[in-house]
């Protein structure tokens, strides 16, 4: 492939469109969550991921799993957890079976804030997608996002 290869050009244009769509969605959600709940999109995402943990087999996430889920480095995730813990939205405790492991749970205050912020997040996502659907370069990506997931075998 060369720099003028049509397949490579199409791939680069697709990546640019995907990056643009992501940026627009994230910025719109960020503004809505900050204005309505004093939460960043990353903070919301972290609370959401951690709220889905459970006490059963494999129910608690290691920090690396949390970092992967919120698309941050482990050190950035740790700083984010500390910030939310300082606000009383999370708590940390030692793993009962492995004292080297640390679990992070959403507090009652964090669950309440998450429940309050979820409709704002969902509304902002819908608004951002509706706006992007009007852009010919982004509309195909929006259509892909709006398709129901394929059933798993």
């Amino acid at each position: 492939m060369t720099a003028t290869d049509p397949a490579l050009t199409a791939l680069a244009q697709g990546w640019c469109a995907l990056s643009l769509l992501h940026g627009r969605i994230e910025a719109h959600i960020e503004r809505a969550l900050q204005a309505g709940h004093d939460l960043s999109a990353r903070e919301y995402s972290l609370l959401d991921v951690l709220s889905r943990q459970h006490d059963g087999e494999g129910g608690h996430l290691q920090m690396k799993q949390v970092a992967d889920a919120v698309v941050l480095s482990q050190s950035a995730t740790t700083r984010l957890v500390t910030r939310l813990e300082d606000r009383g939205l999370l708590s940390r405790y030692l793993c009962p079976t492995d004292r080297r492991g640390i679990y992070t749970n959403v507090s009652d205050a964090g669950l309440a804030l998450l429940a309050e912020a979820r409709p704002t997040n969902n509304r902002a996502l819908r608004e951002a997608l509706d706006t992007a659907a009007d852009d010919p370069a982004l509309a195909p990506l929006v259509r892909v996002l709006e398709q129901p997931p394929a059933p798993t075998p």
Side-chain angles (χ1 to χ4, degrees):
M1 278 200 245
T2 66
T4 57
D5 185 324
L8 187 58
T9 300
L11 188 61
Q13 289 172 338
W15 169 243
C16 286
L18 181 60
S19 182
L20 177 63
L21 178 61
H22 176 269
R24 286 184 182 180
I25 291 171
E26 189 169 52
H28 191 72
I29 290 172
E30 181 80 24
R31 285 189 301 273
L33 288 172
Q34 282 289 347
H37 309 283
D38 194 28
L39 270 179
S40 72
R42 297 280 188 199
E43 290 167 338
Y44 174 88
S45 181
L46 180 67
L47 289 172
D48 185 53
V49 165
L50 291 175
S51 75
R52 297 173 195 278
Q53 295 184 123
H54 56 84
D55 289 329
E57 179 85 18
H60 278 85
L61 301 173
Q62 298 172 348
M63 286 304 283
K64 171 146 183 29
Q65 293 170 303
V66 174
D68 289 346
V70 296
V71 195
L72 289 173
S73 68
Q74 282 188 262
S75 61
T77 302
T78 299
R79 288 191 300 274
L80 183 58
V81 165
T82 299
R83 213 167 42 244
L84 292 177
E85 186 178 33
D86 290 347
R87 289 176 59 185
L89 302 175
L90 298 176
S91 62
R92 287 187 254 199
Y93 64 94
L94 290 176
C95 171
T97 58
D98 179 0
R99 306 227 12 114
R100 296 170 295 170
I102 297 174
Y103 289 155
T104 304
N105 277 338
V106 181
S107 68
D108 289 343
L111 289 172
L113 181 58
L114 181 62
E116 191 180 292
R118 185 167 276 123
T120 302
N121 181 78
N122 294 344
R123 185 174 46 256
L125 174 59
R126 181 74 266 159
E127 291 167 358
L129 288 172
D130 288 347
T131 300
D134 293 335
D135 183 329
L138 301 179
L141 294 171
V142 173
R143 285 192 297 275
V144 168
L145 286 173
E146 291 176 332
Q147 290 177 359
T152 55

